Amino acid sequence: MTVTAIIVAAGRGTRVGGDRPKQYQPLGGRAVLGRTVAGFAAHPRVTGLVVVLHPDDADLFAEAMAGLDLAVTTVPGGATRDASVAAGLGAVPSGTTRVLIHDGARPLVSAALIDRVIDALDTHPGAAPALAVTDALWRGAAGRVLAPHPRDGLFRAQTPQGFRIEAIRAAHAAHPGGAADDVEVALAAGLDVAIVEGDEDNLKITHAQDFARAERVLRERDMDIRTGNGFDVHAFCEGDGVILCGIKVPHDKALKGHSDADVGMHAVTDAIYGALADGDIGQHFPPSDPQWKGAASDIFLKHAVGRVAERGYRIAHADLTLICERPKIGPVAGAMRAEMARLMGIELDRISVKATTSEQLGFTGREEGIAALATVTLVRP
């Protein structure tokens, strides 16, 4: 089995508006047609790509494909859609056994949908995705409802529409022209066409507002969510208080460290670096460097937060647990949350500071120091 995708992109798309055909207008930083072609090129079962273009669009197509190192055959389209498809069928590589015919203005086709169409061709000469009509339907005229229309057995057609190559070639050769899609051509030739489950996200860019909907789908698909963990410990030493999350907490001891030993802030900072796969505090601020002796830990935290912004992420949530017998954290947890939220530039309800004991077990149970565990979630829309 050798599968070639034929992407039909010879239309003018005037209903969208703009200074160029809709398939060459940008969607999420890339031309619509560039996204469509890339979607099929990335599918492991698609071995050939034919793109049917308007004869005037060679430069626009080259621009749309910039940065995509793909082997694509292009062919001029005809005056109608079925003429363009026929041109594409004549340009498929030798050895092709199955074709997927797809609208260039459907840039969000999923790999799973492509698989469903290909799989259905094992048992049918044709297969196409569709969605059952669920809205009520009316017949109307002159702005008035004339009568309800039954929706039973009605589907909204999508592409790619798949066929065994020789069957669809013969069907197109015999068809008089004017078909709305290739399923119509196939049915006219008596071919059995299976319906496979469509995808609401597989929308066709037809009107200007469709770009906004497609952008929303892209944001949901491309969202990058990362989680990092941080852990730190500091031993007690002589002193009159500890600094935790930027707050001086009275205590009969202090915490020992190269910087100000803010164990809570260190754990959160390392969790941020971890989510970014960007090392840890020690790599960015080596303890062997004397300039960080006694440094305020908010320097480290602000650096990590800055790295988040540089990479295009935002901090969705941070959760910190302090582990100690004393001092008691509850009375100052609110102040700690507020200070951490301020330093991190996030809302108060996105930062949690809480404490627990180790039930007098281990070094924290013996009151030899404080441990901290943090988890941070980053999101890049």
Side-chain angles (χ1 to χ4, degrees), residues 4 6 89 92 96-101 121 161-163 165 168:
T4 294
I6 300 174
L89 288 169
V92 298
T96 296
T97 59
R98 301 178 185 190
V99 289
L100 304 176
I101 304 170
L121 294 177
Q161 296 177 357
F163 303 93
I165 182 67
I168 195 62

Side-chain angles (χ1 to χ4, degrees), residues 89 174 182 246 272 284:
L89 288 169
D182 301 287
I272 295 173
H284 293 282

Side-chain angles (χ1 to χ4, degrees), residues 39-93:
F40 282 90
H43 197 287
R45 298 170 73 183
V46 175
T47 56
L49 286 168
V50 174
V51 181
V52 186
L53 303 175
H54 189 280
D56 297 337
D57 289 349
D59 290 342
L60 288 172
F61 181 69
E63 180 183 331
M65 297 299 291
L68 297 173
D69 185 18
L70 302 176
V72 178
T73 298
T74 61
V75 61
T80 62
R81 186 187 186 281
D82 45 358
S84 291
V85 171
L89 288 169
V92 298

